[in-house]
Amino acid sequence: MLQIHNLHANVGDKPILKGLTLSLNAGEIHAIMGPNGAGKSTLGYVLSGRPGYEVTEGSVTFNGQDLLALEPHERAAAGLFLGFQYPVEIPGVSNVQFLREALNAQRKYRGEAPLTGGEFLKVAREQAGALGMDMDMLKRPVNVGFSGGEKKRNEMVQMGIIDPALAILDETDSGLDIDALRTVGDGINRIMRKPDKAVLLITHYQRLLDYVKPDFVHVLDGGRITRTGGAELALELERDGYKELAA
Amino acid sequence: MTDDIEIKDKAAWDAAEKVADYEHGWSSDIETDFAPKGLNEDTVRFISAKKNEPEWMLEWRLKAFAMWKTMEAPDWAKLNVPPIDYQDAYYYAAPKAKPKLNSLDEVDPEILRVYEKLGIPIAEQKLLAGVDGGEDGGLPQRRVAVDAVFDSVSVATTFRAELERAGVIFRSISEAIKEYPDLVRKYLGKIVPMHDNYFATLNCAVFSDGTFVYIPEGVRCPMELSTYFRINAENTGQFERTLIVADKGSYVSYLEGCTAPMRDENQLHAAVVELVALDDAEIKYSTVQNWYPGDAEGKGGIYNFVTKRALCQGRNSKVSWTQVETGSAVTWKYPSCVLNGENSVGEFYSVAVTNNHQQADTGTKMIHNGKGSRSTIVSKGISAGHSNNTYRGLVRVAPNAEGVRNFTQCDSLLLGSLSGAHTVPYIEVRNPSAQIEHEATTSKISDDQMFYAMARGLNAEEAVALIVNGFAKEVLQQLPMEFAVEAQKLLGISLEGSVG
Ligand SMILES: Nc1ncnc2c1ncn2[C@@H]1O[C@H](COP(=O)(O)OP(=O)(O)O)[C@@H](O)[C@H]1O
Ligand SMILES: [Mg+2]
């Protein structure tokens, strides 16, 4: 589904990704772990096309398409979803309005008919319900006044409504209490653990991986993948830390 | 003359076809009945005669014209307006239609087509549909009575019979002058006096048509009233005159929508709107203005010099102005409330968008003369391109007005780095009991917000439109639903080309 080959990227003039290579097949969940500042969020931004994140070398293919040639909204319409480490507030725009417009923009781009208000709300209610989020919260402005945990939960509601083929989830587990962690973990499994989907799970901690069992775990350090293993690698990292591993 | 006009219209049509990026930028093929070009006493007499006005009206106009000749255009606004040649314009243009229209069937089909093209619901059976988007589907159907002003003449008034049953008078001002002279004379020029300002005085002399509304005592107007203005004939200044009188305990919501076709030369628009609310009466006046703003280089566009004022004369009377201003090359407009009544309420909710080379100097005046009068001002300015957007507002409290309150919030949003936003508040308080609050913010659309919206599937323009709509929400939600939806779309359209 996703092939990243020898990816180099700068933020401003600073090289952050330095030859990253990684492949995800449909049906797989990959975890990416690594120390602060390793370039994990940068990878998510580069894959979703954030302006200011400049690819200097390498290639990324998404379902056979040159991902790097697409605009951010085209990548979204092609099925890529980025769960933000720090979800953004948009005052005055309700979650319902935001998501309906976003979803219909994606559908339009793909040549599909837009969802009516009723159809959209049905989907939104289902997804909010499954993630234990009140419909009243969905009517409030996007992330405004949401707690850290509510923002992350909201990212998962968005993912459920948009129903992407590939989700890059950037520290979706940080800021969650243990109950919320379980809800979010269940949500990821329910929405994304399907034969035609894949997940790139960026996390610091093993604890989310108790709920969402990865097929592969990668260590990202110094802008490239330094080690790859199965679920057990995460446990090892938790025990020994990145330094031990690098040594 | 007719040939000449047709050629002009043809040329304009062709020009309009070429410039596809202005949605309403086209001119239609209706024969027009012009006053001779230029402005002198004869022009004033011509207009008055064309409209079969009574003698008192002609005298009033001539007095205004004599006054205007002694006046000078104001220059205090933060606007850069080239000198206007008042002799190089037509002051009256009537679409050639039957003199008296009894039903929509008699309206020139070409005119109806024009309205259809603009998407205006002129036909009675075309009730505006509910807007999709509420939590559980459709809203109850709302109805809007339309008084359509095509160039200078009102061509059709719908729902007249039903309104008449309720005792509501909804007429073109020309008709009202003849049918209800006492009522018109009692209020015309009493809220905006003839000498008020250069453009208002000019309007008194040459006003062409407009709307008159009277809501009798205790009546809640059974539907929204609406006028769609359009400027169509070339070089024709538009001088509408609107007068709305809400008698004791009555309520009316009035919508004013405007579109104008593409023209090369600047056109002058100088309307006067007067509102009067008696005891316990409420008037809600909403405007969505998207006149031609000129092209991306700043060529052409409408000059909009408008005087709008409400007199809250009675106790507990209330007037609420809501405006969404996206069009015009130059906007000079300060819908105001004179709060004479005890405990009267004035509100001003405004969104003004400027893009490319547009200039807007707009705001309000809240004149608190009545005890316990209150006012709220919410102004949202959005500037993009090379444009300049100024909020100018006055809050004045008279010495014997006890217990006055005002809250003012002015927010500016900048897109790009070449546009300007300015806030000029004047506060004159002569009574120490007044509570006046003023808040102002200036911000930019953040890269984080843009990218978040784009990562969810919106392109750059859609993302800007969404964020801007959120910024303007407090004002947009004051509009009646179908206007709010139209206004949301307009905000997006008017900011096209401002990103990327
Ligand atoms: N906008 C930016 N400008 C300059 N440097 C940045 C910017 N964003 C991130 N960086 C730098 O890039 C490196 C990687 O950051 P990031 O991808 O956020 O790491 P991680 O998510 O792995 O903690 C860090 O050194 C960080 O300081
Ligand atoms: Mg990070």
Side-chain angles (χ1 to χ4, degrees):
Chain A
M1 176 178 280
L2 183 75
Q3 288 84 33
I4 306 171
H5 181 69
N6 189 34
L7 187 64
H8 291 253
N10 288 0
V11 183
D13 290 336
K14 193 174 157 194
I16 308 289
L17 301 183
K18 301 165 186 167
L20 188 146
T21 296
L22 182 67
S23 271
L24 273 79
N25 295 314
E28 293 176 353
I29 293 183
H30 292 233
I32 291 201
M33 306 181 80
N36 282 326
K40 303 184 296 295
S41 292
T42 301
L43 175 63
Y45 287 147
V46 167
L47 293 177
S48 2
R50 179 162 194 153
Y53 288 71
E54 189 202 355
V55 174
T56 52
E57 209 184 321
S59 65
V60 181
T61 312
F62 179 48
N63 283 334
Q65 251 184 315
D66 177 5
L67 187 72
L68 301 178
L70 302 179
E71 296 281 316
H73 68 280
E74 297 171 325
R75 299 183 195 197
L80 187 146
F81 178 89
L82 175 64
F84 281 60
Q85 183 175 359
Y86 304 107
V88 179
E89 301 183 3
I90 309 182
V93 178
S94 76
N95 286 289
V96 168
Q97 184 193 356
F98 178 59
L99 281 170
R100 183 171 171 218
E101 284 192 27
L103 182 58
N104 280 339
Q106 289 194 20
R107 293 177 66 92
K108 187 174 166 196
Y109 186 83
R110 296 193 292 256
E112 298 163 11
L115 293 189
T116 64
E119 289 166 340
F120 173 79
L121 283 165
K122 187 167 175 287
V123 177
R125 252 191 228 105
E126 275 168 21
Q127 293 301 330
L131 282 146
M133 188 189 258
D134 215 329
M135 253 333 255
D136 283 344
M137 273 189 85
L138 272 193
K139 290 181 194 162
R140 280 166 45 188
V142 179
N143 293 320
V144 176
F146 285 27
S147 71
E150 285 168 340
K151 284 180 181 173
K152 294 303 177 66
R153 206 186 277 245
N154 192 24
E155 292 292 285
M156 293 302 97
V157 173
Q158 295 188 13
M159 183 173 77
I161 291 170
I162 288 171
D163 196 22
L166 171 66
I168 302 164
L169 303 179
D170 191 355
E171 299 202 21
T172 299
D173 51 343
S174 60
L176 295 182
D177 62 35
I178 198 74
D179 292 336
L181 189 69
R182 181 194 301 273
T183 312
V184 164
D186 288 349
I188 297 171
N189 289 327
R190 176 178 54 83
I191 300 161
M192 297 304 296
R193 189 169 281 289
K194 293 185 178 160
D196 55 344
K197 295 183 177 225
V199 179
L200 195 57
L201 207 57
I202 297 172
T203 180
H204 265 305
Y205 308 106
Q206 155 65 28
R207 53 180 205 159
L208 178 63
L209 305 182
D210 289 340
Y211 299 102
V212 185
K213 196 170 173 304
D215 302 295
F216 298 93
V217 174
H218 310 275
V219 177
L220 173 56
D221 200 354
R224 66 180 68 150
I225 303 292
T226 54
R227 202 170 151 191
T228 293
E232 73 291 343
L233 178 56
L235 291 164
E236 194 182 319
L237 287 170
E238 180 105 322
R239 197 179 58 232
D240 301 340
Y242 302 109
K243 288 227 176 64
E244 188 71 18
L245 189 83
Chain B
M1 185 164 170
T2 306
D3 284 347
D4 195 31
I5 291 157
E6 277 176 353
I7 288 160
K8 274 184 192 162
D9 266 349
K10 177 79 172 66
W13 176 271
D14 290 343
E17 296 280 283
K18 263 184 243 151
V19 191
D21 63 357
Y22 181 61
E23 218 190 6
H24 295 150
W26 43 272
S27 171
S28 70
D29 235 349
I30 299 163
E31 288 181 66
T32 308
D33 191 1
F34 283 102
K37 201 176 193 177
L39 181 54
N40 52 42
E41 245 189 60
D42 288 341
T43 323
V44 176
R45 288 179 193 282
F46 178 97
I47 294 167
S48 188
K50 265 284 172 197
K51 306 175 94 53
N52 291 315
E53 284 178 353
E55 188 61 24
W56 63 267
M57 196 67 244
L58 173 63
E59 279 166 19
W60 198 76
R61 286 177 181 276
L62 289 171
K63 189 176 159 200
F65 182 67
M67 192 182 283
W68 180 74
K69 284 194 293 186
T70 69
M71 297 168 83
E72 279 180 32
D75 63 356
W76 42 261
K78 196 173 165 50
L79 299 171
N80 184 5
V81 186
I84 298 168
D85 183 355
Y86 291 91
Q87 299 306 328
D88 189 32
Y90 294 97
Y91 287 82
Y92 181 85
K96 228 178 173 186
K98 287 173 196 166
K100 178 100 181 108
L101 302 172
N102 294 315
S103 81
L104 286 170
D105 303 339
E106 292 178 37
V107 175
D108 185 336
E110 178 67 14
I111 290 179
L112 288 178
R113 258 198 301 282
V114 166
Y115 285 120
E116 250 174 57
K117 203 159 171 179
L118 282 168
I120 294 170
I122 192 167
E124 284 199 30
Q125 68 274 21
K126 244 200 210 168
L127 299 181
L128 289 176
V131 182
D132 175 30
E135 152 99 47
D136 290 301
L139 296 158
Q141 281 205 333
R142 306 171 68 113
R143 294 180 310 155
V144 179
V146 177
D147 177 27
V149 174
F150 186 89
D151 282 341
S152 307
V153 171
S154 168
V155 293
T157 302
T158 56
F159 289 105
R160 188 178 273 191
E162 186 175 342
L163 289 169
E164 255 157 32
R165 273 198 297 279
V168 171
I169 303 171
F170 182 39
R171 287 283 187 283
S172 73
I173 194 118
S174 310
E175 287 173 300
I177 286 165
K178 282 171 267 178
E179 292 175 38
Y180 306 95
D182 295 342
L183 208 45
V184 173
R185 283 182 91 164
K186 186 168 175 191
Y187 293 106
L188 190 75
K190 296 300 189 301
I191 301 98
V192 177
M194 185 184 275
H195 62 263
D196 191 80
N197 69 75
Y198 187 79
F199 300 106
T201 310
L202 176 62
N203 177 286
C204 291
V206 299
F207 77 84
S208 34
D209 214 328
T211 306
F212 175 74
V213 176
Y214 173 76
I215 315 290
E217 190 170 335
V219 170
R220 197 180 164 86
C221 187
M223 63 193 74
E224 319 251 2
L225 303 181
S226 166
T227 303
Y228 275 85
F229 292 126
R230 258 191 88 241
I231 299 174
N232 195 62
E234 198 167 2
N235 277 336
T236 308
Q238 283 281 292
F239 304 93
E240 293 90 9
R241 186 94 202 180
T242 300
L243 175 59
I244 300 177
V245 181
D247 212 326
K248 291 178 182 170
S250 68
Y251 170 85
V252 64
S253 168
Y254 184 85
L255 322 177
E256 174 197 61
C258 318
T259 57
M262 175 70 76
R263 288 292 180 193
D264 249 349
E265 285 142 279
N266 295 302
Q267 290 179 79
L268 176 64
H269 181 261
V272 171
V273 175
E274 298 180 284
L275 313 182
V276 190
L278 305 189
D279 288 356
D280 302 302
E282 180 176 350
I283 301 173
K284 192 174 161 59
Y285 192 105
S286 312
T287 306
V288 174
Q289 184 268 113
N290 69 325
W291 279 332
Y292 181 52
D295 65 16
E297 275 72 52
K299 194 165 178 291
I302 302 292
Y303 290 175
N304 193 21
F305 295 92
V306 175
T307 306
K308 290 184 167 178
R309 196 171 304 154
L311 175 61
C312 287
Q313 183 175 306
R315 304 162 64 96
N316 307 319
S317 57
K318 177 176 175 182
V319 168
S320 183
W321 298 101
T322 303
Q323 60 171 21
V324 175
E325 303 279 321
T326 65
S328 297
V330 172
T331 301
W332 181 96
K333 182 181 174 191
Y334 315 90
S336 302
C337 296
V338 179
L339 300 161
N340 283 357
E342 207 176 306
N343 296 326
S344 57
V345 176
E347 294 177 339
F348 175 73
Y349 294 95
S350 169
V351 177
V353 181
T354 51
N355 194 4
N356 297 317
H357 290 266
Q358 281 177 274
Q359 308 174 66
D361 193 303
T362 183
T364 186
K365 290 187 270 188
M366 294 291 174
I367 311 295
H368 292 266
N369 297 323
K371 288 194 174 67
S373 55
R374 303 187 303 279
S375 61
T376 303
I377 298 171
V378 178
S379 162
K380 304 274 181 176
I382 299 146
S383 342
H386 292 78
S387 69
N388 258 305
N389 203 326
T390 300
Y391 167 80
R392 188 181 301 277
L394 168 67
V395 176
R396 177 183 288 159
V397 180
N400 52 4
E402 295 292 326
V404 163
R405 278 185 297 168
N406 162 265
F407 173 73
T408 300
Q409 166 122 24
C410 292
D411 297 321
S412 304
L413 187 68
L414 294 168
L415 280 75
S417 55
L418 302 172
S419 58
H422 318 274
T423 301
V424 190
Y426 304 87
I427 299 172
E428 300 173 11
V429 178
R430 302 213 187 89
N431 184 307
S433 68
Q435 289 178 40
I436 309 290
E437 280 179 78
H438 181 95
E439 289 175 12
T441 66
T442 301
S443 54
K444 287 192 159 216
I445 290 186
S446 78
D447 293 345
D448 281 345
Q449 288 176 334
M450 281 297 289
F451 179 61
Y452 192 58
M454 288 164 73
R456 293 292 174 261
L458 299 175
N459 65 31
E461 275 176 355
E462 291 163 340
V464 166
L466 183 87
I467 295 163
V468 164
N469 270 300
F471 171 76
K473 170 89 168 290
E474 258 177 286
V475 174
L476 296 178
Q477 68 190 10
Q478 296 293 327
L479 291 170
M481 182 59 89
E482 49 293 271
F483 248 35
V485 171
E486 189 180 327
Q488 274 183 17
K489 289 191 195 132
L490 270 177
L491 289 190
I493 291 169
S494 57
L495 288 169
E496 271 169 17
S498 63
V499 287

